[in-house]
Amino acid sequence: MVSRVQLPPEIQLAQRLAGNEKVARDRAVRKLRKYIVARTQRAAGGFTHDELLKVWKGLFYCMWMQDKPLLQEELGRTISQLIHAFQTTEAQHLFLQTFWQTMNREWMGLDRLRLDKYYMLMRMVLNESLKALKTHGWDERQIEQLLKLLTTEILHPDSQAPNGVKSHFIEIFLEELTKVGAQELTADQNLKFIDPFCRIAARTKDTLVLHNIVRGVFETIVEQAPFAIEDLMNELDAREEEEEMSEDDGVWESDGSLEGDDCGPDKPSQEPPGQPPKGSVHGDGQAGDDGDSAGAVLQFDYEAVANRLFEMASRPNTPSQNRKRLYKVIRKLQELAEGHFPEDDVPEKACRALQEGRLERKRKKKKRLPKSRSQGKKENREEEDGRPDPSSGVEKKRRWRRKGVRADPAGQPQKGRGPRAGGARRRGPRQPPTARAEAASRANFQEPKKKKKRMLESKK
């Protein structure tokens, strides 16, 4: 009897992850998480590159088999959070590297009905990879390793990433970085995160990649400038309030009351019962937050970003079309550094412009004017030119007169007698054949008399 060959655990898990039954797939995901924790905890443990490629192939088709949108979102979150099961930084980076390699390899086999779920999976994996950096305190060495991995696998011209993967990654990078680190990252750290985009934008020969980077990274920074200034102003105001409150605090007396405080130990508080005290935080928002302010935005040193872009764009090996496009962005960043913002009223107009979007503004420009406004424009044009509108009654009468048509008092045209009256002349009522024959014979009978008269007049 032939003994059954034992398959490696990675292949067994991949086969179960790509199964037809949802219960078996969910059980395989839970076992995979336990297997990752147990294997990476050992000092000599860890995964090889080929083993993680097999694992990710199983996870890829596990997402492929999931159909319902809510279950897809739950599964995508579970898969992306597997990065936190790895106990070492090297294993985490290898897990991310094999993920992007799997997406690049399998992307061309996707149909349009399954694109959305994998767009969502890429967004979630990027978000969790940035959270892993956050848990390590935004260590510079780990930031450099992650940016190098993303540049090599996605952004670099020699990478195997399809255009769909590149475009989506460029589109979501700043969004996910804002969600994770807007409250903690400084301007210098944010400059490090966008440095790969500066280098790729200056050297790429792909016009689509250049357009996506300029639009998705640099112009987004310019558009979010009013919100960044608003965040800085809010922070300064909050610090000033804290300093004022600390200065206004009295000295505690021995009886436990504040010096100069009206509410002593025996005096009740003036606040109505059941009402939160002033300055308290309502719900999950800040104190006194009315919900109109925008979310946190990444802070940038616009002059430093402009200088870095100029350094990359001014190199002799930079293509001319890249240089022209980047110089336009540099001018905008320099204007921001000098204090000239794209919106005069900050942040209301800027918020309105960002919410409407460029597509909405283009649609509004292409809309036709309503009839009332078009008629008003015609009347104004008649008053300015002194000429009546071609569709008016006065101009119709003039055209009728030129053609020889008279208009009656009621405004209806009447036919004239001339050959040009009203166009082609109409004949009278048609005569019967007998009347036409009699008229013809009468004309033939009168012709000899006319000839005799002419001959007599010529002889005289």
Side-chain angles (χ1 to χ4, degrees), residues 147-269:
L147 293 177
K148 183 179 179 181
L149 184 151
L150 296 175
T151 304
T152 304
E153 301 298 335
I154 306 171
L155 296 176
H156 199 273
D158 297 335
S159 67
Q160 302 297 322
N163 290 331
V165 176
K166 287 184 180 180
S167 301
H168 188 64
F169 172 77
I170 295 169
E171 180 183 357
I172 67 175
F173 183 80
L174 277 188
E175 296 178 9
E176 300 306 316
L177 184 62
T178 303
K179 293 177 185 178
V180 177
Q183 300 289 347
E184 301 177 0
L185 293 173
T186 62
D188 294 337
Q189 289 175 325
N190 291 329
L191 181 60
K192 291 180 181 178
F193 275 104
I194 66 169
D195 185 71
F197 297 97
C198 298
R199 290 186 279 106
I200 297 299
R203 63 184 296 186
T204 184
K205 295 181 181 179
D206 191 345
T207 56
L208 179 62
V209 174
L210 175 64
H211 172 75
N212 290 334
I213 291 177
V214 172
R215 184 67 193 93
V217 178
F218 302 127
E219 290 186 1
T220 302
I221 293 173
V222 174
E223 291 176 357
Q224 292 179 353
F227 297 113
I229 298 301
E230 183 189 8
D231 289 347
L232 287 176
M233 296 301 295
N234 291 338
E235 287 184 10
L236 292 176
D237 293 341
R239 290 177 184 176
E240 290 178 0
E241 290 179 1
E242 290 178 359
E243 291 176 359
E244 290 176 0
M245 291 177 65
S246 62
E247 291 176 359
D248 293 341
D249 286 344
V251 180
W252 288 95
E253 297 291 342
S254 58
D255 57 355
S257 63
L258 278 172
E259 183 182 359
D261 193 1
D262 294 337
C263 294
D266 298 332
K267 293 183 180 181
S269 174

Side-chain angles (χ1 to χ4, degrees), residues 386-402:
R387 294 176 297 178
D389 185 63
S391 61
S392 61
V394 179
E395 184 63 15
K396 287 179 180 179
K397 291 179 182 178
R398 290 184 181 178
R399 289 203 301 268
W400 292 337
R401 287 171 186 170
R402 294 193 200 103

Side-chain angles (χ1 to χ4, degrees), residues 307-322:
N307 293 337
R308 179 59 177 164
L309 266 181
F310 181 78
E311 178 186 354
M312 303 304 299
S314 59
R315 292 182 177 180
N317 58 350
T318 302
S320 59
Q321 60 179 0
N322 300 30

Side-chain angles (χ1 to χ4, degrees), residues 302-303 330-341:
Y302 303 111
E303 185 177 1
I330 290 170
R331 292 191 198 98
K332 295 179 182 180
L333 293 170
Q334 290 174 347
E335 291 176 358
L336 290 176
E338 294 172 0
H340 303 290
F341 294 95

Side-chain angles (χ1 to χ4, degrees), residues 3-194:
S3 61
R4 188 175 179 179
V5 178
Q6 185 71 22
L7 295 175
E10 293 81 14
I11 297 179
Q12 295 181 18
L13 287 171
Q15 290 176 351
R16 295 175 184 176
L17 288 171
N20 294 327
E21 297 181 1
K22 181 180 181 303
V23 178
R25 294 197 303 269
D26 294 342
R27 190 184 298 115
V29 172
R30 292 193 295 269
K31 287 185 177 180
L32 175 62
R33 186 178 184 85
K34 294 179 181 179
Y35 179 66
I36 291 172
V37 173
R39 184 162 177 177
T40 55
Q41 278 181 346
R42 294 177 295 180
F47 290 89
T48 63
H49 183 268
D50 293 337
E51 290 173 346
L52 286 180
L53 280 177
K54 295 174 184 177
V55 170
W56 264 117
K57 189 166 186 177
L59 292 172
F60 182 88
Y61 285 100
C62 182
M63 178 64 79
W64 179 290
M65 300 298 294
Q66 188 62 57
D67 293 331
K68 297 181 180 180
L70 292 178
L71 296 178
Q72 290 171 5
E73 184 177 355
E74 181 182 357
L75 179 60
R77 191 178 298 110
T78 303
I79 292 175
S80 61
Q81 289 176 354
L82 288 175
I83 186 176
H84 304 294
F86 291 86
Q87 305 299 311
T88 61
T89 306
E90 291 75 12
Q92 288 180 350
H93 284 284
L94 187 60
F95 182 72
L96 291 175
Q97 182 183 10
T98 51
F99 163 72
W100 292 108
Q101 289 176 355
T102 302
M103 294 302 299
N104 296 340
R105 185 185 68 243
E106 305 290 342
W107 187 260
M108 300 307 295
L110 292 176
D111 55 274
R112 62 181 181 85
L113 299 176
R114 290 184 171 90
L115 283 177
D116 289 340
K117 66 171 77 174
Y118 289 102
Y119 280 144
M120 178 187 64
L121 180 61
M122 284 192 288
R123 183 183 288 270
M124 289 181 173
V125 170
L126 178 60
N127 185 278
E128 295 299 332
S129 62
L130 294 172
K131 285 182 180 178
L133 291 179
K134 184 178 180 180
T135 55
H136 291 89
W138 303 105
D139 183 64
E140 292 186 5
R141 190 176 67 86
Q142 295 187 15
I143 292 175
E144 291 177 358
Q145 289 180 356
L146 178 62
L147 293 177
K148 183 179 179 181
L149 184 151
L150 296 175
T151 304
T152 304
E153 301 298 335
I154 306 171
L155 296 176
H156 199 273
D158 297 335
S159 67
Q160 302 297 322
N163 290 331
V165 176
K166 287 184 180 180
S167 301
H168 188 64
F169 172 77
I170 295 169
E171 180 183 357
I172 67 175
F173 183 80
L174 277 188
E175 296 178 9
E176 300 306 316
L177 184 62
T178 303
K179 293 177 185 178
V180 177
Q183 300 289 347
E184 301 177 0
L185 293 173
T186 62
D188 294 337
Q189 289 175 325
N190 291 329
L191 181 60
K192 291 180 181 178
F193 275 104
I194 66 169

